Amino acid sequence: QRGGPEHGPEFHTFTRVTFEAGRETSPSLSPDGEFIAYAARHEGDLDVQDLIAEEDVVITVSRDGYVKRQPIENFRRQGRGGKGIRGANLKEEDVINDVFTTTTHNWLLFFTSRGKVYRVKVHEVPESGRTARGTYAANLPGVSISGDEKVQAVIDLKEYSEGRYLLFATRKGMVKKTALPEYDSPRTGLAAINLRPGDELIDVRLTDGKDDVILVSRKGQEIRFRESLVRPMGRQTAGVIGMRLAADDVGAGNAGLR
């Protein structure tokens, strides 16, 4: 506190913001009587995530791109054969595409129809009530999806492990496999796949490189082959033909089978 007869009392507060070599850095008093808090940067600095409790949560993603995070406690156990409880209040004609459990420390990778990928920490997805619609993906930090762009796949990720791959499938039957660590970048809006004119991304799967791949077309055609037949490629590549489609047919999805 400082002040004088002509001034009312002034109160100055400070926050210790870092630790240096296991001890707090001490604030000092400037010549005019104001407190200054010093922050020492070094290898052991705290990350923002260190201040976030790691909690189990449920993530839901709708076809129209609404994302919602809920505490797992919102889903109480019920007896078999019950009718359940309302889990979301969706817009007309919207449906739930993905539901999975994860933790607040994991990454969510959002892949769009234009072949881009955005990453967001789970704790950055706003927590919503059980019946809430959720947050549109374009309103999440670092995600900039245009009006005609759609979220086609969401991957839940703890870390970018070696020996794991992302397998892409496109509307025109192309497939591409890329090592997961190639997508470990602080930049957002990366090019995940180089799409050919008129093509779009329809699905992405996380694999270990040893699965079988099943591709299905809109008209019910399907093909199964070993994933090892698709060689790993760089991040900004188009991939190879996975399924030859009829002129009036398009790819509908891809699945992994062990």
Side-chain angles (χ1 to χ4, degrees), residues 1-254:
Q1 174 185 346
R2 70 183 176 93
E6 67 279 12
H7 301 289
E10 294 183 19
F11 292 89
H12 298 267
T13 60
F14 63 88
T15 303
R16 296 183 176 95
V17 291
T18 61
F19 292 84
E20 183 177 12
R23 62 182 177 82
E24 292 181 85
T25 54
S26 300
S28 65
L29 196 64
S30 68
D32 62 356
E34 294 182 346
F35 283 112
I36 301 175
Y38 289 98
R41 300 289 299 174
H42 65 92
E43 189 175 347
D45 273 354
L46 290 174
D47 187 271
V48 171
Q49 183 168 283
D50 296 325
L51 306 177
I52 304 294
E54 185 167 15
E55 299 174 339
D56 293 328
V57 295
V58 176
I59 295 290
T60 57
V61 185
S62 80
R63 183 176 60 190
D64 286 350
Y66 285 87
V67 188
K68 185 167 72 168
R69 171 170 65 95
Q70 300 178 73
I72 202 165
E73 292 77 14
N74 279 7
F75 297 83
R76 59 181 177 83
R77 289 189 177 92
Q78 299 183 25
R80 182 180 60 81
K83 66 177 184 179
I85 56 176
R86 179 180 290 274
N89 183 22
L90 299 174
K91 295 194 302 183
E92 188 176 355
E93 298 184 357
D94 196 9
V95 295
I96 296 295
N97 266 1
D98 280 305
V99 181
F100 51 87
T101 58
T102 181
T103 80
T104 47
H105 284 192
N106 277 21
W107 289 106
L108 294 179
L109 304 186
F110 292 86
F111 295 88
T112 75
S113 54
R114 288 190 173 182
K116 291 186 177 182
V117 58
Y118 300 88
R119 74 176 188 176
V120 176
K121 279 291 186 179
V122 172
H123 63 75
E124 294 178 313
V125 177
E127 185 174 307
S128 303
R130 181 171 53 82
T131 59
R133 182 176 301 163
T135 302
Y136 187 53
N139 294 327
L140 295 173
V143 180
S144 54
I145 299 174
S146 61
D148 60 346
E149 197 171 9
K150 293 182 179 179
V151 174
Q152 299 289 60
V154 180
I155 301 292
D156 169 46
L157 203 62
K158 182 70 174 178
E159 57 189 1
Y160 292 83
S161 307
E162 295 286 347
R164 305 198 78 185
Y165 301 88
L166 290 174
L167 184 70
F168 298 81
T170 78
R171 185 179 178 86
K172 291 191 173 182
M174 303 295 290
V175 294
K176 188 190 79 156
K177 182 172 72 174
T178 302
L180 180 60
E182 291 208 26
Y183 296 87
D184 186 9
S185 170
R187 293 189 295 119
T188 190
L190 291 177
I193 181 173
N194 184 17
L195 294 171
R196 294 178 177 178
D199 203 359
E200 68 177 40
L201 182 64
I202 60 171
D203 204 2
V204 184
R205 302 283 174 173
L206 183 63
T207 79
D208 60 5
K210 303 173 184 177
D211 295 348
D212 277 10
V213 179
I214 299 176
L215 299 177
V216 181
S217 79
R218 183 71 56 83
K219 291 199 169 183
Q221 295 295 112
E222 62 181 49
I223 186 172
R224 174 179 172 180
F225 53 88
R226 295 295 298 171
E227 185 185 335
S228 57
L229 296 176
V230 183
R231 65 179 178 83
M233 297 182 175
R235 180 170 57 81
Q236 291 182 298
T237 55
V240 296
I241 296 174
M243 185 178 191
R244 294 189 184 275
L245 298 164
D248 60 347
D249 201 2
V250 294
N254 117 66

